[in-house]
Amino acid sequence: MSRTELVEFIAAKANMSKAEAGRALDAMLEGIQTGLKKEGKVALVGFGTFSAKKRAAREGINPLTKEAIKIPAKTVASFKAGSKLKDALN
């Protein structure tokens, strides 16, 4: 499902305009990003949990040159599905 299709779905389900649904989706995504930056975790009960995980620096190999390279440490977003989402997919 694309962003446009998701906005249309939200607009139809919530009985609002596509513009309002787009702003609501943008606000939700911004809230998740802000929560991950501030607290490192956003839990939506039943749906799932977004969390920020730190990846340590490590060494890798450039597949073209087979040369060793250093991959820097970074923080990545992770998602773990909740029980209601898991049940809905079965």
Side-chain angles (χ1 to χ4, degrees):
M1 178 180 278
S2 69
R3 176 181 165 68
T4 304
E5 292 169 334
L6 183 57
V7 168
E8 289 171 359
F9 180 81
I10 292 169
K13 278 290 201 181
N15 196 23
M16 60 174 61
S17 71
K18 288 181 188 176
E20 291 171 328
R23 287 193 298 273
L25 179 60
D26 290 340
M28 185 193 82
L29 295 176
E30 186 179 334
I32 291 172
Q33 290 173 5
T34 302
L36 288 176
K37 283 182 183 178
K38 283 186 178 180
E39 300 172 24
K41 187 175 180 181
V42 176
L44 303 172
V45 178
F47 181 75
T49 303
F50 295 91
S51 59
K53 294 185 177 183
K54 295 186 181 197
R55 257 192 211 159
R58 58 193 165 96
E59 284 200 15
I61 297 176
N62 182 333
L64 293 176
T65 63
K66 308 296 184 210
E67 201 174 295
I69 57 172
K70 291 186 179 185
I71 301 170
K74 65 179 178 177
T75 303
V76 296
S78 174
F79 177 75
K80 183 174 180 183
S83 60
K84 288 182 183 177
L85 179 58
K86 286 179 186 176
D87 292 344
L89 295 176
N90 289 329

